[in-house]
Amino acid sequence: MLSSEEENLSSVLGWISIACWIVVYSPQIYENYLLQSGEGLSVLFVIVWLLGDLFSLIGALLGGLLPTVIILACYYTICDLILFCQIYYFRWKRNRTGLGEHGEETPLLSGDDRQIVEITPVKIIAARYMSALLFVVAVGIAACRISNKPDVEEATTIQSLLIDRWWLVQTLGWSSALLFLGARVPQILKNFKTRCEGLSPALFFFAIFGNTTYAWSICAKSMDRGYLINNAGWLAGNTLTVLLDIFVLCQFIYYRATDTIAPLSNVNDTRSH
C-alpha cells in the first residue's frame, strides 16, 4: 500500500509533467508563425515524434488508461500534425510567392543577416523561463488539488487490463520510447547545419522538465522492483531523451554565444581600420 505522502507526491509530479507537456508545443508553433517558416525543425524529427505519440496513444487505449491520459495523447498527436503542416505550408507559401525553396539543410538567415539579428540578453531569457516554469508548477499543483482520484474499482479494472495485455503494452511503451529517443538524432544533426535558427529552445526546456517530473512521479509512487520493471520503458526513454534534449539546449546556447560575439568582432575590426 502506498502512503498518502507518496501518493500525493506522485500525483503532484504527474500533474506538473502534464502541465509542461500541454505548453511544450506552443513556443515552437508560435516561433514558426513569427518566422513564417518551419525550417528550424527537422522533418524527420517531427515524423518520428508523431509516430511515438501514436504508439503512446494506442498503448493508452489498449491499456484502458484514464480518459485524461488518452485525451492528452490525442492532444500531442494533433500538435505534431500542426508542426508538420506548418513546415510544408510555409514551404508552399514561399515557393508560391517566389521567395525560394528552403530544404532541410538551408539556413533561415544568411551570414550577413545573422549578424544584425537582435540578441536577447541571457538574463532576460533566464527570467522568462523561470517565470514560465513557476507558472507551470503552480498550474500542476492546482490541477492536482482540484482533480478527483479514481476510485478503487476503477483502479482495479485498469490494473487487470494492464496485466492481461502486459506484453502488448510493454512493446508499445518501449517502441514509443525508442521513437522519442531516435527523433532527437536528426534534429541534433540539423542544428549543426542551421545553427539552431528557427528552433525554439522552450520546446526542449519544457520537454526536459516534463520528462523529468514524469520519471520522478513514477519513482515517487513506488520503488518496488516489479513496478519499476513494468515502467522501465517509460523511465529509460525519459532519462535518455532528457540527456539528448540537454545537448540540444547546449547547441542553442553555443550558437547564440558565437552569434553574439561575431557582430562585436566585426565592429572592432571596422574600428581598427
Side-chain angles (χ1 to χ4, degrees), residues 177-200:
L178 291 173
L179 287 169
F180 290 140
L181 188 63
R184 268 61 178 183
V185 176
Q187 185 62 55
I188 288 172
L189 295 177
K190 182 179 177 66
N191 292 344
F192 284 121
K193 298 170 182 176
T194 64
R195 302 176 65 85
C196 297
E197 292 166 5
L199 190 67
S200 172

Side-chain angles (χ1 to χ4, degrees), residues 14 20 32 37 65 78 88 106 121 175 188 197 201 228 243 258 269:
C20 287
N32 292 345
S37 172
L65 301 187
I78 292 171
Y88 283 99
T106 306
S175 298
I188 288 172
E197 292 166 5
L228 293 178
L243 295 177
T258 54
D269 290 343

Side-chain angles (χ1 to χ4, degrees), residues 7-260:
E7 188 69 34
N8 289 335
L9 178 59
S10 177
S11 181
V12 168
L13 290 170
W15 277 104
I16 292 175
S17 176
I18 290 173
C20 287
W21 283 108
I22 288 177
V23 302
V24 72
Y25 293 91
S26 303
Q28 187 62 55
I29 292 174
Y30 183 64
E31 182 83 4
N32 292 345
Y33 172 76
L34 285 180
L35 295 175
Q36 292 291 290
S37 172
E39 298 305 325
L41 289 170
S42 166
V43 175
L44 189 57
F45 166 66
V46 178
I47 292 176
V48 178
W49 204 356
L50 172 60
L51 290 175
D53 282 326
L54 286 173
F55 272 59
S56 180
L57 173 59
I58 295 171
L61 290 170
L62 294 179
L65 301 187
L66 295 174
T68 51
V69 177
I70 296 174
I71 291 172
L72 282 171
C74 291
Y75 171 75
Y76 303 152
T77 302
I78 292 171
C79 288
D80 292 334
L81 291 172
I82 291 175
L83 290 175
F84 185 78
C85 291
Q86 278 187 316
I87 292 173
Y88 283 99
Y89 169 74
F90 290 129
R91 283 187 185 181
W92 171 81
K93 186 176 180 181
R94 285 179 177 274
N95 291 334
R96 185 185 180 192
T97 56
L99 294 178
E101 183 177 357
H102 287 259
E104 278 283 282
E105 301 180 4
T106 306
L108 296 177
L109 300 173
S110 65
D112 293 336
D113 292 337
R114 187 183 295 120
Q115 295 176 5
I116 61 175
V117 173
E118 182 179 353
I119 304 297
T120 305
V122 175
K123 291 183 179 180
I124 294 180
I125 295 177
R128 290 175 181 173
Y129 276 51
M130 288 305 301
S131 299
L133 186 59
L134 290 174
F135 174 76
V136 167
V137 171
V139 169
I141 294 174
C144 178
R145 293 292 185 185
I146 64 176
S147 65
N148 294 319
K149 296 181 181 179
D151 56 29
V152 176
E153 182 180 353
E154 182 181 17
T156 303
T157 302
I158 292 173
Q159 186 64 28
S160 64
L161 284 169
L162 290 175
I163 293 174
D164 293 339
R165 300 169 179 173
W166 189 87
W167 282 107
L168 180 57
V169 173
Q170 286 296 308
T171 299
L172 290 170
W174 278 100
S175 298
S176 67
L178 291 173
L179 287 169
F180 290 140
L181 188 63
R184 268 61 178 183
V185 176
Q187 185 62 55
I188 288 172
L189 295 177
K190 182 179 177 66
N191 292 344
F192 284 121
K193 298 170 182 176
T194 64
R195 302 176 65 85
C196 297
E197 292 166 5
L199 190 67
S200 172
L203 170 67
F204 297 91
F205 176 80
F206 284 111
I208 289 170
F209 199 70
N211 279 323
T212 301
T213 50
Y214 181 75
W216 286 348
S217 71
I218 293 176
C219 295
K221 188 170 184 178
S222 174
M223 291 299 290
D224 179 73
R225 181 179 178 182
Y227 175 78
L228 293 178
I229 290 175
N230 287 338
N231 290 276
W234 286 268
L235 285 171
N238 285 348
T239 303
L240 295 174
T241 299
V242 164
L243 295 177
L244 291 182
D245 285 344
I246 290 174
F247 185 83
V248 172
L249 285 184
C250 290
Q251 284 183 307
F252 185 88
I253 293 170
Y254 171 76
Y255 289 125
R256 175 60 64 92
T258 54
D259 288 346
T260 303

